[in-house]
Amino acid sequence: MNDPEVQATRALLIEALGAAPDADTSTPDLRTMFTPSSHRLALDPDVTVVRGARGTGKTYWAKALTDPELREVASASYMMPRLGRIEVITGFAQGGGDDPVFPGKRALASLVAQGVDAKDLWSAVVLMALKVPEVLAFESWSDRIEWVSRNGEKYEAALRRADRETRERGKTLVLLFDTLDHLHNDRGQLDLLLSGLFEVALELRLTTGTLRAKIFVRPDLYESAPKAFADASKLGANATDLSWSRENLYGLLFHQLGNHTSEQAKAFRRSTGQWRPEGEGRFIAPVDVIADQKRQEEVFVTLAGPFMGTDRRKGHTYTWVPNHLQDGLGRVSPRTWLHALLRSAQLTGERYAGHSLPLHYDAIRESLSSASKNRVAELTDDIGWAALAVELLEGGQVPMEPSAVRFSWDKQGLSAKLHELLKDETQGSGPRDISNAPVPAFALLEELVELGVMTKRTNGAIDLPDVYRLAFNIGRKGGVARKPVT
């Protein structure tokens, strides 16, 4: 590349990645919507549970499924014609829209305090979604739920009637459930609410042909919810996980670059093969750019060079970047991935403007601190107690013996701080053992490892992945240096 081309490509990275969709704050966009092969089952109407950590696409796909145009794109991309014949109703989500069929968080808290049965609650939500007159006539959720609890035969008759009517229209009705970590602050109550939802959803799957529930949920919440109801084992058979392979992550990056509206996006498409136009400014990359590691590395090398330094001893850029952004379970959030590359381009322009490539390896390394800060902000929003627990280790160095972790927690009063934190209804649910006082440190450690926030070495020592460690200002000998986030 000559200098103008380098500058233009760097600008493309900044503009395209800065405008990348974020389902928490915007609606998915036809042009930039990426359909990784590993997410096909997540959209299948017959798959009841979709497990995914923060940033993996739960809310993105929940919103996309509510949009007929985006469903058509997904239907064509995944060769799933049935997606074009579904009707979607939101059964629970933050906000709720203009006329939600479910109770809000405060109403839910009140209902739980009254001791309502979770299964009856979600059954009432189903009837509201189906617009059953007897239930619509009530003004309060308490009355609706009581009606359901006393009228089991009428509930089943309403399902059969709705199933028949939906089949006659040639449709499948899908009830979407998302942002379920906001159901209740108390983890025990949240688990019970989810258990009731899972039971109702499975009954729809097993007893009707055209009524389906699709539940987007964090893996840890899925695992901890009791599953003592009939046929519970079949729930796992109707579940899938939102995962992002390295090929998916690079495919997402190249899709965003090739689908920007600038002239440089056209140049990027020309330089990477024959992109297929799909109308309305949407282009599909060649298969090898989306799915072949060797080809993807060739393309990324044109952006960042082959090495994280002057030679191979510092690592290969293609593998180094995703490896340093993954959590303890090997998962990389696509949101964190795009943010790191965006910040890399910005830092290159600010500090290495004369570099011969759009991305400088030192800028990539420095971007990790910013990406880590964003990831920790997400952790704080979703699992505030986990962020608090790691924050109390600030200034330390990993690997760290479990006894040292427990000593630091005890010294700084973690148990009391956790109980105080969870009085704030915006902080989400707590750890599984929060009901105990003091909270057992060994249980917290195990849960943090299960969440991927921490890792445990073969000798039992506790470690932290860089994507969390850097923002918490925790050192590691020989690791990526902690630097102020700019």
Side-chain angles (χ1 to χ4, degrees):
M1 292 184 182
N2 57 40
D3 286 344
E5 289 176 335
V6 170
Q7 298 290 342
T9 303
R10 190 176 297 147
L12 172 62
L13 282 160
I14 293 171
E15 292 169 7
L17 303 187
D22 181 347
D24 288 344
T25 58
S26 61
T27 302
D29 174 75
L30 171 67
R31 182 172 46 79
T32 58
M33 187 174 80
F34 180 59
T35 53
S37 57
S38 58
H39 289 195
R40 186 179 190 276
L41 282 178
L43 304 189
D44 188 330
D46 285 333
V47 171
T48 303
V49 176
V50 182
R51 297 173 295 231
R54 173 71 180 264
T56 54
K58 298 190 302 296
T59 295
Y60 185 91
W61 285 124
K63 287 187 175 181
L65 283 171
T66 64
D67 186 311
E69 186 177 31
L70 298 183
R71 288 203 304 268
E72 286 295 336
V73 171
S75 174
S77 178
Y78 288 125
M79 293 182 287
M80 193 185 295
R82 189 179 175 193
L83 270 183
R85 300 191 297 272
I86 68 172
E87 297 173 349
V88 178
I89 298 175
T90 299
F92 186 84
Q94 276 193 294
D98 296 330
D99 189 21
V101 301
F102 52 89
K105 186 172 183 179
R106 288 183 181 275
L108 265 175
S110 177
L111 291 167
V112 168
Q114 296 170 30
V116 299
D117 181 83
K119 183 180 178 182
D120 289 341
L121 186 157
W122 294 114
S123 297
V125 169
V126 170
L127 296 187
M128 286 290 288
L130 298 177
K131 300 186 184 304
V132 174
E134 295 94 325
V135 176
L136 285 174
F138 295 113
E139 294 186 1
S140 77
W141 277 99
S142 296
D143 290 339
R144 293 164 184 159
I145 295 167
E146 184 179 0
W147 186 92
V148 170
S149 69
R150 294 182 176 182
N151 293 277
E153 290 185 8
K154 291 183 179 180
Y155 172 77
E156 292 172 351
L159 293 188
R160 289 194 298 270
R161 183 168 58 251
D163 187 26
R164 182 177 63 254
E165 293 171 353
T166 306
R167 184 183 297 108
E168 289 172 352
R169 296 198 309 272
K171 300 287 187 178
T172 297
L173 180 63
V174 177
L175 276 68
L176 287 181
F177 299 85
D178 187 33
T179 62
L180 295 169
D181 46 325
H182 293 279
L183 282 174
H184 203 280
N185 289 0
D186 181 86
R187 181 60 175 266
Q189 294 293 349
L190 175 58
D191 285 347
L192 292 176
L193 286 170
L194 287 175
S195 179
L197 175 58
F198 291 152
E199 184 173 4
V200 169
L202 183 61
E203 284 185 356
L204 288 178
R205 176 73 177 83
L206 297 178
T207 62
T208 73
T210 64
L211 307 181
R212 296 289 181 264
K214 186 169 290 294
I215 303 169
F216 293 91
V217 64
R218 284 192 344 231
D220 59 303
L221 297 182
Y222 172 80
E223 293 298 333
S224 66
K227 301 176 186 66
F229 45 85
D231 295 316
S233 62
K234 295 180 180 178
L235 189 67
N238 289 300
T240 190
D241 296 286
L242 285 175
S243 61
W244 287 82
S245 67
R246 184 183 300 162
E247 295 92 332
N248 291 159
L249 293 168
Y250 277 101
L252 172 65
L253 166 64
F254 300 145
H255 182 85
Q256 301 306 312
L257 298 181
N259 278 278
H260 195 249
T261 56
S262 66
E263 287 298 315
Q264 192 58 29
K266 295 181 181 179
F268 179 78
R269 293 196 297 270
R270 287 195 300 269
S271 69
T272 51
Q274 189 67 40
W275 290 58
R276 186 178 77 249
E278 289 203 333
E280 299 189 49
R282 178 178 171 84
F283 294 87
I284 301 300
V287 173
D288 59 351
V289 173
I290 295 296
D292 183 79
Q293 287 191 19
K294 182 178 179 181
R295 177 59 179 145
Q296 288 183 331
E297 185 168 10
E298 291 173 352
V299 175
F300 193 61
V301 164
T302 68
L303 301 176
F307 309 123
M308 287 299 297
T310 56
D311 57 44
R312 70 180 70 241
R313 289 177 297 177
K314 294 291 186 180
H316 293 260
T317 54
Y318 178 75
T319 54
W320 192 96
V321 183
N323 285 350
H324 284 77
L325 292 174
Q326 65 186 13
D327 69 3
L329 300 176
R331 304 173 302 197
V332 180
S333 157
R335 186 181 304 159
T336 304
W337 163 253
L338 295 182
H339 175 85
L341 293 168
L342 166 63
R343 190 65 187 132
S344 299
Q346 292 171 333
L347 287 171
T348 301
E350 293 167 8
R351 302 180 186 178
Y352 313 98
H355 188 55
S356 61
L357 293 170
L359 300 177
H360 191 284
Y361 48 81
D362 280 337
I364 294 174
R365 187 174 285 105
E366 292 174 35
S367 76
L368 289 186
S369 292
S370 180
S372 177
K373 182 179 179 181
N374 272 28
R375 191 72 183 111
V376 166
E378 293 178 346
L379 179 69
T380 303
D381 287 344
D382 273 2
I383 318 176
W385 70 265
L388 172 62
V390 181
E391 183 181 355
L392 296 183
L393 305 177
E394 182 177 2
Q397 181 168 300
V398 291
M400 185 180 297
E401 290 300 318
S403 58
V405 176
R406 293 195 294 268
F407 175 79
S408 181
W409 284 349
D410 289 344
K411 183 179 179 180
Q412 300 188 66
L414 172 61
S415 185
K417 289 180 178 179
L418 280 178
H419 285 283
E420 186 64 28
L421 175 79
L422 294 173
K423 291 179 182 178
D424 182 352
E425 66 178 22
T426 67
Q427 294 300 315
S429 62
R432 289 192 293 261
D433 293 299
I434 192 62
S435 57
N436 297 322
V439 180
F442 69 88
L444 286 185
L445 278 174
E446 290 301 319
E447 192 166 353
L448 287 168
V449 170
E450 292 172 15
L451 289 169
V453 176
M454 290 180 168
T455 60
K456 185 182 291 185
R457 296 194 172 191
T458 54
N459 64 0
I462 298 299
D463 207 341
L464 282 170
D466 284 343
V467 76
Y468 294 123
R469 179 182 67 82
L470 294 171
F472 283 117
N473 192 30
I474 297 171
R476 179 191 292 119
K477 188 176 181 180
V480 176
R482 293 168 285 173
K483 293 184 178 181
V485 178
T486 56

